[in-house]
Amino acid sequence: MWEYTDKVKDLYKHPQNVGTIENADAVGEVGSIVCGDALTLYLKIEDDVIKDAKFQTFGCGSAIASSSALTEMIKGKRVEDAEKITNRDIADFLGGLPEQKMHCSVLGREALDKALANWRGITLDDAHDVEGEIVCQCFGVTDALIRKVIRENHLKTVEDVTNYTKAGGACGSCIPKIEDILNDELKTSPGVAAAPAAKKPLSNIRRIQLVEETITDVIRPILQKDGGNIELVDVEGKQVMVALRGNCAHCLTSDVTLKNLVQEKLREFVEDDIEVVEAR
Amino acid sequence: MNIKSVYFDNNATTMVDPAVLEAMLPFFSERYGNPSSMHDFGGAVAADVEKARRQVADLLGAENDYEIVFTSGGTESDNYAIMGTLAFFREKRHVITTRVEHPAVLNLCKRLEREGYRITYVPVDGEGMLDVEFLKKAVDDDTAVVSVMYANNETGVIFPVEEIGAFLNERGVPFHIDGVQAAGKIPIDVKKIGCDMFGISGHKLHAPKGIGALFVKRGTRIRPLLYGGHQERGRRPGTENVPAIVGLGKAAELALRYLPQEAELARLRDRLEKGILEKFGNVSVNGSRTHRVPNTTNVGFEFIEGEAILLYLNEKGIAASSGSACSSGSLEPSHVLRAMGVPFTAAHGSIRFSLSRFSTQDEVDYVLSALPEIINRLLEISPFWDNKEKKGKPITV
């Protein structure tokens, strides 16, 4: 069973703004029944303000919750502000999503793009979520969308891209192309790996806060998928002491986990010279 | 109807029968001897292990008790059968299995493929029935083993193992059956089937998790997966998990005793299935309705997604499972439904209900009473459903 937050559970049980809008000013349709999730977003826009938003979704609990969250987030916003909403914002609104379900938040963001393009009178080809060339034939994902999601979410691996866009998740024949795009993005966008929230130099209190948040929101869910866990023991300057628990505690590759996952994520989200040591 | 929870996911795991638990308990306390010990304390326990071996042999129709090897479960039984046979026939590099096997066999075969083995995956038809002629044509002099499930875990469809067994015996090709979903649900007679190996899993027939068995016909050429002590005649070394073995023995005895009630179980399953088909226009049954185990129905709801159905069922205290992409952690619907050619419109909305001898008519009726609200709510949300016309919209795939 997926580990959904209370917010996700609440919204798939009691989704807000379900339905259609008669004479909608904008409609955005994304996904398909073949892909396993689809979303149609309806908007009523007056004087550049989104007065009403409704949706219909075919998909899992996180797809329903993400769609509901999106409509709540954009209602009453000016179009220019709504456009700034990223899939990460949708996931944050929900208190997080399982990594493999992040594509549901991307679906919401895509629907908004399509609806606003529709409102502006621009027709996007059905096969193109955003302009670009189809990379993943199975799920109809374009290179432009992959690049956009890599940048917005600081993605680093093919698995990340699959979790966020589904690309590469079926026949797998597009994985080499995804790797090329990833390498290209990581090469040409040095900012991709930069910490999004950290403003240096950090105070000790802020550093501890960010370390705790990163462990809770990013690292722990990854470890829990394999039956592991992690505890923050102490933070001394830039040295973070952690204890691995569950399956990770006696895993032969725990050193790799500490350096390649825990330390890398903390460097990505907190400070790029954080050192992680295991508390013995 | 005062029902708080309904467990209709018995193909995933089953409740340990209270009588099984009762049989096991002494082996956690006063009867903790090691069966290999030379004193009575262990020797008495060894007799209980042998009793369990006999009980399992009876369930499977094995001629000799020693043809039963205790394992940790279905996955190990499958791996032991296939890998053990390949280890003996090192010169043969061809394995035949089906496209709808459990991952315990499929993923092993994928691994073997990477090691240079040639694997033939036998297809199924739209009802999930095996293409036996395809299988027969695939057998050649290089075939080391054929591994086929008796009953499919997702649809419950039963394969014609006797026909396959007769053919393979004639050709002298080792035949392994993954019998995990058949044991305790339909009568089994390994002699009549003519198989060389037959695997079962305890937790699928009201024994605990972590115990299983593999029937290995006398004279079968097979090497062990593990090397160590003399336990299980050297075929599966390691100190015996006595409580679990005793539990599996008791569960096998009970399964045999309750088998005559399978018609009642089928009646309950049919009541559920018929009720679903009558209540909803957007649903169909996945798999043959005639050749299947009595406890399973797999239905595909069009225009709505399986994980969402499961979550809503869960809110009502009902446990089932789905072959949808979202619920599986993969991005595609179940390999079984895809092999059957079930349209995506239904595969994504597939729900498997699997009952047990502990299931009741009240539980079936409770599920039937809970479903309309769930299905109608999700249809209301679906972009593929016309709420005014109360029917699906035309879908271009």
Side-chain angles (χ1 to χ4, degrees), chain A residues 1-2 4 12-13 15 18 22 33-36 38 40 56-61 64 101 139 162 166 169-170, chain B residues 303-305 307-308 311-312 314-315 326 329 331-332 344-345 348 377-378 380-384 387-388 395 397:
Chain A
M1 191 126 185
W2 300 110
Y4 286 140
Y12 74 62
K13 280 187 265 182
V18 172
E22 288 288 321
I33 205 158
V34 172
C35 294
T40 307
Q56 289 181 305
T57 288
F58 166 85
C60 57
I64 295 170
K101 296 286 188 178
F139 294 112
T162 302
K166 290 191 169 188
Chain B
F303 319 117
I304 54 179
E305 199 279 329
E307 192 213 88
L311 292 170
Y312 279 41
N314 190 53
E315 288 304 308
C326 294
L331 290 173
E332 289 186 298
F344 279 101
T345 50
H348 282 301
R377 179 72 180 123
L378 288 169
E380 234 172 75
I381 295 175
S382 172
F384 303 116
N387 280 301
K388 279 185 193 142
I395 293 168
V397 176

Side-chain angles (χ1 to χ4, degrees), chain B residues 226-279:
Chain B
L226 304 174
Y227 287 86
H230 63 277
Q231 295 91 348
E232 301 296 297
R233 300 180 178 225
R235 294 170 298 180
R236 208 291 191 174
T239 302
E240 297 90 338
N241 181 358
V242 178
I245 287 170
V246 168
L248 177 59
K250 185 68 184 174
E253 180 198 301
L254 293 171
L256 204 51
R257 189 188 305 165
Y258 286 111
L259 266 180
Q261 294 181 19
E262 64 183 276
E264 172 56 19
L265 185 56
R267 192 192 65 78
L268 274 186
R269 184 272 316 275
D270 292 344
R271 181 183 177 92
L272 175 67
E273 188 173 88
K274 193 162 163 278
I276 290 170
L277 293 173
E278 280 171 358
K279 278 175 195 288

